[in-house]
């Protein structure tokens, strides 16, 4: 049966049989029992599917991953302990020492560090590109050892919209997959596979959880990338894995399942970054109301963006649902139902006025988080990026006066009233 996203959020994933719990149970168990040595042996050989140890897989997690997979329109998915782990696994599953990837320079700071510093130490090089460059220019950054292209549907914190089709076309021309971090949009507002992305990642910590209770991540495979057609580039998927009795993932599992099977059997086994089943349970509760919440986050954020845009004390506002925004036409194409509840803006007068404004807020709190039910605010120049000079901030693409505002689910007029009274304190 073809179903809408609201139905998928409720019905996909856990499918109880007669007499089983209606709500997804938390399988709070490290281990699973078998009747014979042979039955367990077959699991270790990947001959049978089943659970044996929660470092690799757990039924609660798999039910939640299946729900996210259905929402994105993928063929296989896995949960990870964090969004950082999801992005690391997604790239490390197909890149090894000596390889290269291309990433948008506007991505989340944590991912920028992961690719630019930590993975560099592992021998994997990353070229960061301005995501607004032409496709001809993008073409010039590919090397023979390029194995993946990476971007975010809506960037954190600059809320720029990625031209997914442009990036997918460039990646496919060079025989490599496009990985898209779809955290801010969620599959409710954008499904990158419909525009050519091959792998999608999430920090489920944000809107999917939605209540700021559990850190988590997810990787979803579209099943569309043909690994065998580019066998020489991806030996990890297309040649025998000696640590698994010589199975070849792409042959044994096909394009639909190979990527997630390998990430589970090798990376989860060796690096063990699984989400706890309890957190997966919370995530599932969040997913049930995701469409309702995204609608409200977007409606309130647009009202706030319009309010800020009209205030003379505000220097600029970035929110792609605003008609004047530089990313408005990309948002109309890729995110026709709205972008997300996060926007960024600057106050006239720079750092000092920004700090006075933020300290005057009463309802909106200062926290290092975004995308949950409580409105919150952060000034990167004073908080996450405070060691940097104004010059260094500009190089990182973060204006010294940039304030990131995440609109929660409080009454819209109350949020605006709080912003108004704080703006009045700065003059
Ligand atoms: C927060 C975030 C991450 C990192 O996720 P964690 O769950 O905090 O590890 C990655 N990408 C984006 C776009 C994010 O907003």
């Amino acid at each position: 049966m073809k179903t809408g996203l609201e139905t998928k959020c409720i019905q996909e994933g856990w499918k109880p049989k007669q007499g089983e719990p209606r709500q997804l149970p938390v399988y709070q168990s490290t281990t699973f029992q078998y009747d014979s040595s042979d039955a367990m042996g077959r699991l270790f050989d990947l001959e049978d599917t089943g659970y044996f140890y929660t470092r690799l897989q757990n039924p609660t997690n798999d039910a939640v991953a299946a729900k996210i997979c259905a929402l994105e329109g993928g063929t296989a998915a896995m949960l990870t302990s964090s969004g950082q782990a999801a992005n690391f696994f997604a790239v490390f599953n197909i890149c090894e020492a000596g390889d290269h990837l291309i990433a948008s320079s506007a991505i989340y700071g944590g991912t920028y560090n992961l690719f630019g510093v930590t993975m560099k130490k592992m021998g994997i090089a990353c070229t960061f590109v301005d995501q607004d460059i032409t496709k001809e220019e993008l073409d010039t950054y590919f090397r023979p050892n390029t194995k993946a292209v990476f971007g975010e549907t809506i960037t954190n914190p600059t809320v720029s919209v990625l031209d997914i089709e442009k990036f997918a076309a460039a990646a496919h021309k060079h025989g490599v997959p496009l990985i898209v971090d779809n955290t801010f949009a969620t599959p409710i507002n954008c499904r990158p596979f419909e525009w050519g992305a091959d792998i999608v990642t999430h920090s489920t910590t944000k809107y999917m959880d939605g209540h700021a209770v559990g850190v988590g991540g997810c990787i979803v495979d579209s099943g569309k990338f043909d690994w065998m057609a580019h066998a020489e580039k991806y030996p990890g998927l297309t040649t025998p894995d000696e640590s698994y009795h010589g199975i070849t993932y792409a042959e044994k599992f096909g394009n639909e399942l190979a990527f997630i099977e390998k990430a589970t059997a090798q990376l989860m086994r060796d690096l063990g970054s699984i989400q706890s089943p309890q957190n997966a349970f919370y995530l599932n509760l969040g997913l049930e109301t995701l469409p309702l919440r995204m609608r409200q986050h977007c409606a309130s954020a647009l009202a706030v963006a319009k309010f800020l845009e009209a205030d003379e004390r505000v220097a600029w506002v970035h929110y792609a649902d605003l008609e004047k925004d530089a990313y408005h036409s990309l948002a109309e194409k890729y995110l026709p139902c709205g972008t997300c509840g996060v926007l960024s803006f600057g106050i006239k007068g720079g750092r000092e006025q920004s700090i006075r404004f933020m300290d005057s807020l009463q309802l909106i709190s200062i926290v290092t988080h975004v995308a949950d039910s409580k409105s919150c605010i952060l000034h990167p120049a004073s908080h996450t990026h405070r060691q940097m000079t104004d010059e260094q901030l500009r190089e990182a693409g973060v204006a010294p006066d940039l304030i990131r505002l995440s609109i929660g689910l409080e009454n819209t007029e109350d949020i605006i009233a709080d912003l108004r009274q704080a703006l009045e304190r700065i003059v």
Side-chain angles (χ1 to χ4, degrees):
M1 190 168 103
K2 204 171 178 310
T3 56
L5 293 168
E6 294 82 357
T7 307
K8 288 187 172 72
C9 279
I10 304 292
Q11 299 284 350
E12 288 289 342
W14 173 245
K15 302 248 166 89
K17 299 186 193 71
Q18 178 154 269
E20 286 186 342
R22 183 64 191 94
Q23 179 56 292
L24 170 67
V26 183
Y27 283 88
Q28 194 69 53
S29 182
T30 58
T31 40
F32 302 84
Q33 182 211 297
Y34 288 88
D35 290 340
S36 73
S37 162
D38 182 54
M40 174 156 287
R42 293 178 61 78
L43 295 180
F44 276 92
D45 285 349
L46 301 183
E47 287 299 329
D48 280 342
T49 54
Y51 298 95
F52 49 96
Y53 192 49
T54 290
R55 172 158 32 83
L56 285 91
Q57 271 184 300
N58 176 281
T60 305
N61 293 26
D62 281 358
V64 182
K67 179 177 282 187
I68 297 172
C69 188
L71 289 169
E72 289 286 5
T75 54
M78 69 198 290
L79 297 189
T80 57
S81 56
S82 66
Q84 286 297 110
N87 283 330
F88 174 56
F89 277 24
V91 172
F92 197 56
N93 208 30
I94 48 174
C95 290
E96 53 188 52
D99 288 345
H100 170 251
L101 78 145
I102 295 170
S104 156
S105 59
I107 55 175
Y108 174 66
T111 317
Y112 192 92
N113 250 328
L114 170 68
F115 294 167
V117 180
T118 300
M119 292 188 76
K120 190 174 167 195
K121 290 182 190 159
M122 304 167 85
I124 298 165
C126 180
T127 303
F128 293 102
V129 301
D130 177 345
Q131 65 180 36
D132 298 329
I133 55 176
T134 63
K135 60 177 191 296
E136 291 74 25
E137 205 184 339
L138 185 52
D139 249 4
T140 64
Y141 291 102
F142 284 82
R143 306 176 189 169
N145 61 341
T146 304
K147 300 295 168 75
V149 178
F150 185 96
E152 287 172 6
T153 312
I154 304 170
T155 59
N156 177 4
T158 47
V159 290
S160 312
V161 177
L162 182 75
D163 188 344
I164 302 173
E165 281 192 319
K166 178 178 77 182
F167 270 67
H172 296 160
K173 184 174 166 195
H174 295 272
V176 307
L178 172 64
I179 303 171
V180 172
D181 180 332
N182 198 30
T183 298
F184 270 22
T186 83
I188 304 306
N189 284 346
C190 180
R191 287 157 308 283
F193 295 155
E194 293 172 3
W195 303 101
D198 301 284
I199 312 284
V200 157
T201 59
H202 284 281
S203 164
T204 62
T205 318
K206 314 292 163 56
Y207 290 115
M208 284 190 172
D209 165 313
H211 303 79
V213 294
V215 172
C218 184
I219 308 173
V220 190
D221 183 10
S222 68
K224 283 191 239 161
F225 195 82
D226 191 347
W227 305 109
M228 276 301 183
H230 307 283
E232 75 298 340
K233 275 198 166 82
Y234 302 104
L237 281 153
T238 61
T239 61
D241 177 2
E242 292 317 325
S243 75
Y244 256 115
H245 314 300
I247 71 159
T248 300
Y249 294 99
E251 262 173 12
K252 185 165 172 62
F253 299 106
N255 290 337
E256 287 77 20
L257 305 176
F259 188 87
I260 295 294
E261 285 287 342
K262 176 178 179 288
T264 303
Q266 270 180 0
L267 302 185
M268 265 313 173
R269 179 195 62 185
D270 296 351
L271 302 168
S273 311
I274 196 127
Q275 190 166 134
S276 82
Q278 186 71 43
N279 277 6
F281 174 84
Y282 295 135
L283 172 56
N284 189 55
L285 285 184
L287 287 168
E288 290 194 356
T289 57
L290 184 63
L292 285 171
R293 292 187 289 104
M294 286 312 286
R295 237 168 269 149
Q296 186 58 42
H297 281 296
C298 290
S300 283
L302 182 58
V304 168
K306 285 182 175 162
F307 162 77
L308 291 172
E309 193 181 37
D311 194 293
E312 61 185 20
R313 290 158 293 205
V314 173
W316 55 270
V317 183
H318 283 166
Y319 186 63
D321 290 324
L322 287 175
E323 274 170 32
K324 275 189 242 149
D325 195 85
Y327 293 97
H328 188 62
S329 58
L330 285 175
E332 279 188 310
K333 175 175 174 178
Y334 295 112
L335 302 132
C337 300
T339 55
C340 64
V342 181
L343 53 96
S344 65
F345 67 102
I347 284 176
K348 289 179 187 160
R351 266 188 210 222
E352 219 172 287
Q353 300 290 32
S354 303
I355 291 165
R356 190 167 317 153
F357 162 77
M358 291 181 54
D359 287 348
S360 305
L361 291 165
Q362 292 167 3
L363 187 74
I364 301 167
S365 51
I366 301 172
V367 295
T368 313
H369 196 245
V370 277
D372 70 72
S373 57
K374 299 171 192 70
S375 291
C376 59
I377 200 158
L378 185 91
H379 180 220
S382 313
H383 306 135
T384 47
H385 298 58
R386 70 178 287 129
Q387 286 83 6
M388 294 185 176
T389 62
D390 285 3
E391 188 50 35
Q392 287 172 322
L393 280 170
R394 268 187 217 98
E395 270 173 31
V398 178
D401 65 343
L402 183 147
I403 293 172
R404 181 182 72 182
L405 177 59
S406 174
I407 301 300
L409 299 175
E410 302 91 346
N411 177 288
T412 314
E413 289 309 313
D414 293 345
I415 298 169
I416 291 175
D418 193 29
L419 292 166
R420 185 184 292 118
Q421 66 80 22
L423 283 169
E424 277 159 13
R425 303 280 177 94
I426 63 174
V427 278

